[in-house]
Amino acid sequence: MTDIYARLGVKRRINAAGTLTRLGGSLMPDEVLAAMREAATAFVDIAELQAAASAVIAEHTGAEAGIVTSGAAAALTLGTAACLTGFDAARMDRLPDTSGMANEVVIWRAHRTGYDHAIRAAGARLVEIGYNDRATGAGVRGLEPWEIEAAIGPATVAVAYTATPAHDPPLAEVVKAAKGLPVIVDASAQLPPADNLTRYINEGAALVVFSGGKALRGPQASGILCGRRELVAAALVQQLDMDVSPATWRPPSLIPRDKLRGIPHHGIGRGFKVGKEEIAGLIAALERFATLDHEAERAARLQRLEVIAAALPPEVAHVAGEVLELSVADAYGLSRELQDGDPPIHLGEARAHAGVLLANPLSLGDADATIVAERLRTLLGRS
Ligand SMILES: *Cc1c(COP(=O)(O)O)cnc(C)c1O
């Protein structure tokens, strides 16, 4: 075997942990690979290609516009930048320095994640509101609309919202309380279900971000920023290579040149560039995802879990929703042993602190499920 990983001496791993970026996100289907390969064979105007991508993203999300980014985290930074600058070229030039500018992004304390660094990276200051009473067991209430309204002032540029299956608080309520200020929704890992592609836009989000390298199975370093046309355009200007001559620059109509007082230089998003290959690959992935039989996909995922569950005693393994929970005495120890095996196997560790490892079927092949089942049977049957 002389594949690229073998040549580099890097192990191939079995991923039963979901769409983890550090394991490679997801695997690209043939049609995505084909689109990237084709895109790599010609020069194009990247702005024109992004405008074409915008039309496809708009069709599938219901948003006015959308661009391909180098990931959902990059999309959060770009979307925040757009809320900070609008079409003001001088402000674009200053980011991430926002001193003296409106620069506050309001966020519910319980919606903060490790990814909000991406919002702060644009130069925004997070203003935390509300409490986390339900999760701590301290109380009965979540975030209430008056708390959002009270936090909004002249320095506020946006409200950030982390989408979860709990939809708490309801996005429409947050949008209403934001009174026209943009609400930026981090929906990076909220696909499937497929109708989440349109859900947050329908509920009034100004900007929504999705990962391209998770369940969409696009290029790993890709993502989507979609939403209001003028915000998406302001984000695009700050992502594009802007080494252009004013005399010959012809941006696509997505970028309203008449609203810019001058032509911005490279913006805060210049380091988040996407290639023609990522743009083409993401579009192919989105079009594929839109035509998938999601019921059949779900059934196949559950079947993979059943293969693993069948190898283990019922008191150890049970299917909960779309994951298999493994209750074991030493979850971290078992996870380490699985990762040290050949091939290394990764299970989800989000609840390992409570003695539970999670088998997620999203990135597992059928053959992988059998290998995972056999390895677990061996390791757990030992004692
Ligand atoms: C994965 C993830 C991101 C980052 O997505 P990338 O596409 O890897 O940049 C951001 N927010 C949440 C909630 C995520 O799960």
Side-chain angles (χ1 to χ4, degrees), residues 19 21 69-76 113 115-116 162-163 186-190 209-214 220-223:
T19 50
T21 295
T69 66
S70 54
L76 285 174
T113 74
Y115 297 102
D116 68 37
T162 301
D186 180 352
S188 303
Q190 298 307 310
V209 315
F210 296 104
S211 272
K214 292 181 180 167
Q220 185 184 3
S222 73

Side-chain angles (χ1 to χ4, degrees), residues 274-290:
V274 279
K276 53 199 181 303
E277 299 83 3
E278 281 80 29
I279 299 173
L282 186 282
I283 289 311
L286 183 57
E287 290 182 324
R288 172 186 174 274
F289 188 80

Side-chain angles (χ1 to χ4, degrees), residues 3 85 118 227 275 284 319 326-327 351 366 370:
D3 69 74
T85 62
V319 176
L326 299 175
S327 303
R351 288 176 50 210
D366 292 338
T370 308

Side-chain angles (χ1 to χ4, degrees), residues 20-44:
L20 295 193
T21 295
R22 66 194 170 77
L23 293 180
S26 55
L27 301 183
M28 289 188 289
D30 287 342
E31 50 267 60
V32 177
L33 277 166
M36 291 186 81
R37 172 173 271 280
E38 229 176 283
T41 61
F43 294 105
V44 290

